[in-house]
Amino acid sequence: MIQLRSHRKTIALADPRWYGHHPTYFKEFAASLLRLGHRVVALCREPDELEPALRATCAELGLDPAEAIEVAPLADPDRAFVFPERIDHDPLSTIARWRCLRRALAGAEAASGWRADLVFFPWLDSYLRFQPSKALPSLMLGRPWAGLYFRNHHFGSAPRLLTTIAKGDRGLRNRDCRAIGVLDERFAEAMSETSGRPVIPFPDITDETDPAALSPLAERVLRQAAGRKVIGMVSLEKRKGFLTMLRIAEAVAGREDWYFVAAGTYCPETCNAEERAYVERVDRLANREGKLDNVMLKLPGERIPDGAEYNSLIKCFDLVYAAYEDFRGSSNALTKAAVFGKPMVATRGECVGNRVERYGLGLTFDQGDAAGGEEAIRRALAGVGWDGAPLAPRYSEYRALHDRDRLDEVFEEILANV
């Protein structure tokens, strides 16, 4: 349903990344703006994947796509030019990224005949990094902009000059910046003081599609679990804690009625040589030697797109494993668990652990503590906390803070400043 509450605006969304959460966020942000009655100029790396999704959203809302959306490709340097083997951003790549955006936006505006009233960055960080001048956005765009800032945790400690330069926080004081969104609200006040701009907590949105039937992968999981409790995670990066999950699986093999699912794409570059050797050994034991039958791990894995396929997998889990390591930010794994009513285990502390405890979504344990993780899983599956009292998850409350209605409210707040 269209909810236009002010005059119609044209909003450009621009994100040069298209993996992990990026497609989900982009599609959800575009859908929110369309629900609010605005036009969307969508600039991304995979326009052929995005456009059918936005056309489907237009159909649901009764909109003519020709009058509501313009989808165009967005190029990106993808690398640093200075010391490319050591870092992935530098002043030259940042300038190049803004130039790519300017060209893409100009082309889309010429094709559509619309002029964007606001440019919104679903991943603001890459446009800020090593920004040589806070005037750069005005020079490149010459119009209002806002964005979602992910890695904002340095605002929780004393300012450090090198960190501030590397993060490009001077760009937040650009005259055309209208608002800054954050997923982790803990540092919003410090960010607002530094930037002089509104800092708005965003919902950690996820695709809530309830699949009509289980996917082939979910059916295979349940078949191989053979009645055992399924503990699962998606996306095999070291920071996701999947190495600790594998160690727990090995430790309980033969004595706990549990089945562990390590799904999604394996990212070996996030692990050191010893860790990669360990993952390969587990893969060999599970898939070639038949000595570890409580683990599903298929290397190199494959991307599981968000939506019905991803959610089908979550629905077959009895417990969601979200014990991130050396990670301070938010995660929409919590939103996914709340949507489908699945208990969780998470690493104690930081944004994820604090939210799991605050809303009773599951249990937390110390980072990398396989024994503690095993006990947390045992208790969470039994529905009891560390004190032995029954868990009382507030799924609906958490979901309401991170759903599409809240996203629409946030965009209305931002657009009120345009």
Side-chain angles (χ1 to χ4, degrees):
M1 182 176 67
I2 307 302
Q3 306 174 42
L4 187 61
R5 296 174 187 173
S6 61
H7 75 276
R8 192 181 201 189
K9 297 182 175 72
T10 299
I11 315 302
L13 294 176
D15 190 348
R17 301 187 177 198
W18 200 258
Y19 55 83
H21 73 268
H22 291 265
T24 294
Y25 278 55
F26 201 111
K27 293 170 187 176
E28 291 290 347
F29 290 178
S32 176
L33 292 166
L34 291 171
R35 284 195 298 273
L36 293 172
H38 303 293
R39 294 190 185 99
V40 173
V41 174
L43 308 174
C44 77
R45 296 299 288 272
E46 297 292 342
D48 291 342
E49 178 183 334
L50 176 65
E51 186 162 4
L54 296 192
R55 285 183 172 276
T57 298
C58 287
E60 293 170 5
L61 297 172
L63 297 172
D64 179 358
E67 295 297 324
I69 62 171
E70 178 69 26
V71 182
L74 176 61
D76 191 79
D78 287 328
R79 63 182 180 89
F81 296 100
V82 181
F83 307 121
E85 301 302 319
R86 297 180 58 188
I87 57 177
D88 57 2
H89 295 79
D90 62 25
L92 294 179
S93 67
T94 299
I95 292 171
R97 184 167 293 111
W98 281 95
R99 292 180 66 186
C100 287
L101 170 62
R102 181 171 64 181
R103 286 195 296 268
L105 181 60
E109 288 181 328
S112 65
W114 310 329
R115 188 179 193 279
D117 299 295
L118 175 79
V119 176
F120 187 86
F121 300 95
W123 176 269
L124 178 59
D125 305 49
S126 288
Y127 285 91
L128 292 178
R129 297 285 177 84
F130 292 101
Q131 196 170 111
S133 168
K134 71 177 183 180
L136 183 63
S138 296
L139 293 172
M140 292 293 181
L141 294 180
R143 71 197 71 200
W145 61 271
L148 184 56
Y149 196 149
F150 277 72
R151 296 175 181 171
N152 65 334
H153 304 96
H154 57 291
F155 284 97
S157 55
R160 297 174 59 186
L161 180 59
L162 290 179
T163 300
T164 300
I165 292 172
K167 292 287 188 177
D169 292 335
R170 70 179 73 185
L172 301 177
R173 298 190 297 274
N174 175 262
R175 70 188 184 204
D176 293 323
C177 177
R178 293 295 182 266
I180 306 155
V182 292
L183 293 176
D184 186 347
E185 69 281 0
R186 293 178 295 169
F187 315 106
E189 184 176 349
M191 291 182 70
S192 185
E193 290 176 358
T194 298
S195 66
R197 301 293 183 269
V199 177
I200 303 170
F202 257 64
D204 207 336
I205 198 78
T206 192
D207 188 306
E208 299 187 9
T209 302
D210 192 354
L214 290 179
S215 68
L217 176 57
E219 289 179 344
R220 187 163 73 249
V221 166
L222 293 178
R223 185 169 60 251
Q224 294 180 193
R228 291 174 288 182
K229 295 292 186 180
V230 179
I231 297 102
M233 65 178 302
V234 181
S235 186
L236 309 182
E237 302 175 54
K238 181 179 178 179
R239 72 180 179 92
K240 295 287 188 80
F242 90 102
L243 292 164
T244 301
M245 190 184 81
L246 293 180
R247 293 187 179 103
I248 296 171
E250 271 203 292
V252 304
R255 63 178 173 84
E256 291 289 352
D257 206 24
W258 302 344
Y259 186 70
F260 292 83
V261 176
T265 305
Y266 172 45
C267 301
E269 67 276 9
T270 66
C271 304
N272 61 34
E274 182 180 350
E275 291 161 343
R276 290 195 296 272
Y278 173 69
V279 174
E280 291 163 6
R281 185 178 72 82
V282 172
D283 177 52
R284 185 176 66 253
L285 292 174
N287 296 311
R288 292 189 291 282
E289 298 181 9
K291 296 178 180 178
L292 194 62
D293 75 344
N294 67 337
V295 175
M296 175 182 280
L297 173 68
K298 301 289 186 183
L299 302 183
E302 59 184 26
R303 178 190 171 201
I304 300 174
D306 201 4
E309 186 174 350
Y310 195 116
N311 294 349
S312 180
L313 191 59
I314 296 294
K315 287 188 74 171
C316 82
F317 292 169
D318 293 289
L319 183 142
V320 174
Y321 189 95
Y324 289 80
E325 299 182 5
D326 297 323
F327 178 73
R328 303 181 66 188
S330 179
S331 169
N332 67 2
L334 279 68
T335 313
K336 196 77 77 174
V339 167
F340 294 102
K342 303 294 182 179
M344 314 184 71
V345 293
T347 300
R348 186 170 290 124
E350 297 298 350
C351 183
V352 169
N354 290 340
R355 287 179 180 176
V356 167
E357 292 176 352
R358 187 186 319 151
Y359 294 95
L361 304 179
L363 294 178
T364 62
F365 63 95
D366 291 337
Q367 175 172 310
D369 179 5
E374 176 187 333
E375 184 60 23
I377 290 171
R378 183 176 294 110
R379 288 173 175 266
L381 288 173
V384 298
W386 288 114
D387 59 359
L391 291 175
R394 289 151 44 210
Y395 293 132
S396 59
E397 184 178 346
Y398 189 86
R399 180 178 178 178
L401 292 171
H402 298 276
D403 66 5
R404 289 168 175 168
D405 288 342
R406 177 58 190 151
L407 182 62
D408 291 353
E409 293 171 359
V410 164
F411 271 119
E412 283 191 321
E413 188 174 348
I414 291 173
L415 292 172
N417 294 303
V418 178

